[in-house]
Amino acid sequence: MGTFATLFHKAGAGIPNEKKEEFRDRIEKLFQMGGMMEMEQVQLCGKKAVTIKKASMHDYGMNFYYNYFEDDCWENAGFSLKSGNVWSEKIGWREFHQVVVAAYVLECLYTDGPAVAMVNGDIVTSQAYIGWINYLFQTQYPQKNNDPWALFEALHDQMDMDLERVDWYGFVEDLYGFIGYYEINAVLKGTEALEKEFDELTGHEGEDEKNGNLNFFDFAKRLKRAVNEFRKANDQNGVQQLSTIVEMLRSYYEQDGMLLDISKKYENKALEAICFFAALTDAPAYVFQVVSEVYDIGFWELWERVKDVAKRKRIMYQQEIPPETISVSTMDFFGVASDDMILLWGADKNIQFSQELTNWFGDLKSRFDMLMESGDVSGNPLYWILDLMEYADENYYRIYCFSDFFKETIEHLNDRRFLTLWKLYDEMLHNPVMEEAGSVVFVPEGAEYEHVGLHYFGTPPRRRLKTNWDMIKKEEKNNKARVTFRRYMALLGNGKLREEIFGF
């Protein structure tokens, strides 16, 4: 049980060599901008603490299990440098999930041929993933499978899945996708069911011949009529008729360009009509579905005989009218307020903090200056800092210091500026208002609450969570204390912003 994501592509398909380096760089940035973090254990002076840092590329690739925006851990995910692919285990259903699926969508965009991201066997069609990718890399990707037929064809015999449940319309962005969508439905539902759908969409049961206002639906109906007329008015047996139609259509699809070869005439006018309306529908799979129904042969059996040549003729037209693209900011993608994007300030040029947060930065700087003047710092700074980190985790839960700032502190342990930043943290952690606010995620103290809350094996910690972290209400997780401390740690961890506020 659980939520799993993966990438489907045709056997043997992959990312072209000339694009692998760019893909690797973009995967790293996507994971970092999505808040994926590596955790590092710190054990010094008898104290234990955890620090976090942005997930980064190593000689093996990337490996992480914590997402900063979700404020939670899942099973490991990352990127394999050896295979050049994204990989993941259970990914949950919130921000961790969004980032991993976006990574698979990015890999899908770089992979040759039909490819698609999937979650628990369902195809991902959400435009938000493409939009976020476009925002991160200033690209203009449309959804990859603008012709869903190519994806359907690749999937139908390679995966154990209910293709009728797939939202194929989610791929429809243009004429190409529109035609592919109806090709899929013709194969899944049959052309008779589709004709009824055509009538509902167009509002009439017959073609508008008087005004000459014909469209795809009308061409599809006329195609089927022509195939039936060919079968009725022909001296050949069924096998011979089918062979004649297949040979004629192969000849059409093999020729260059989308125009009919008018120099080639067919004695049988119904056969000529089949070719004519096959060209107008520009939907090879639909054409052969019609033929398969009239001659009572399985579609895929017939398709095997022609799939090597069956192709659309409007590709040049399609290239002249590119599909519409969208862009979705990181804040909109995750539904995160700008004030909780402190960590990405500088990397994301569009982050503008609220006046309230700006005022808080000013208050922090004022208090910092006062503490610098007082000269009141701990006599054993390393032990004191580790104690603060341990205290924060035990009394507020998962309030992590960033690894780079912790290492900077160790390197400048005699620098009063760094110690003063920790002194500010000390004051906030032990503020009674913050302690009360942070207590909402824990079981109250007292004998009557001994059997309440999350069960622990062995000796329970001094403060026990009320329930599993991923089940605690969002507003309780985001209590005043935790939000304040996470923002403060993010400020210290963002070197550029810290220098902007504190001057170093």
Side-chain angles (χ1 to χ4, degrees), residues 16 23 31 154 244 419 426 494:
F23 172 65
F31 282 140
T244 298
L419 298 181
D426 191 344
N494 187 329

Side-chain angles (χ1 to χ4, degrees), residues 207 209 220-230 270 290:
E207 302 92 342
E209 298 182 22
K221 287 182 179 181
R222 289 187 172 197
L223 168 72
K224 189 172 184 179
R225 184 190 305 168
V227 176
N228 278 305
E229 288 177 356
F230 177 76
V290 169

Side-chain angles (χ1 to χ4, degrees), residues 279-488:
L280 291 178
T281 58
D282 199 31
Y286 194 98
V287 171
F288 285 103
Q289 174 63 24
V290 169
V291 175
S292 73
E293 290 176 357
V294 173
Y295 287 92
D296 194 25
I297 182 175
F299 169 81
W300 294 111
E301 180 184 346
L302 182 60
W303 187 250
E304 282 295 319
R305 296 164 60 176
V306 296
K307 68 179 184 180
D308 59 318
V309 296
K311 62 180 181 297
R312 304 211 198 292
K313 300 289 191 174
R314 295 180 182 170
I315 189 167
M316 295 305 295
Y317 171 77
Q318 177 61 32
Q319 289 174 338
E320 292 171 3
I321 307 178
E324 182 180 352
T325 59
I326 61 171
S327 178
V328 178
S329 71
T330 302
M331 286 181 285
D332 289 338
F333 185 62
F334 293 118
V336 176
S338 60
D339 289 358
D340 292 313
M341 296 280 288
I342 293 174
L343 184 64
L344 298 183
W345 183 89
D348 189 325
K349 306 298 183 183
N350 297 318
I351 297 173
Q352 295 184 339
F353 299 129
S354 69
Q355 189 59 50
E356 181 183 4
L357 189 70
T358 302
N359 292 341
W360 182 61
F361 289 158
D363 292 340
L364 289 174
K365 180 60 167 64
S366 297
R367 183 58 184 159
F368 173 83
D369 292 340
M370 291 176 62
L371 290 172
M372 283 291 290
E373 292 179 4
S374 71
D376 182 19
V377 294
S378 171
N380 189 343
L382 180 57
Y383 186 89
W384 167 60
I385 289 168
L386 291 166
D387 188 57
L388 291 178
M389 293 167 66
E390 188 177 69
Y391 183 86
D393 184 52
E394 185 169 277
N395 289 276
Y396 297 98
Y397 198 68
R398 286 185 175 168
I399 305 298
Y400 300 124
C401 172
F402 286 86
S403 301
D404 289 345
F405 178 70
F406 178 74
K407 291 173 183 176
E408 263 193 285
T409 298
I410 300 302
E411 292 171 359
H412 299 85
L413 208 52
N414 294 319
D415 190 328
R416 286 187 56 246
R417 297 175 302 172
F418 283 87
L419 298 181
T420 300
L421 292 177
W422 285 99
K423 181 62 178 177
L424 265 173
Y425 190 45
D426 191 344
E427 289 184 349
M428 288 189 286
L429 287 174
H430 293 89
N431 185 317
V433 175
M434 294 297 184
E435 289 177 334
E436 182 178 356
S439 67
V440 297
V441 299
F442 297 106
V443 173
E445 296 184 4
E448 65 271 33
Y449 300 107
E450 183 177 347
H451 301 293
V452 178
L454 193 65
H455 176 72
Y456 290 88
F457 293 101
T459 304
R462 190 176 70 82
R463 304 195 74 178
R464 290 177 292 125
L465 291 174
K466 294 195 301 186
T467 185
N468 291 327
W469 185 244
D470 61 342
M471 300 299 292
I472 292 178
K473 296 178 181 177
K474 189 173 183 178
E475 59 268 25
E476 291 182 334
K477 287 183 179 181
N478 295 336
N479 60 69
K480 177 180 175 63
R482 294 195 78 256
V483 168
T484 299
F485 301 148
R486 277 168 54 82
R487 288 178 177 176
Y488 185 68

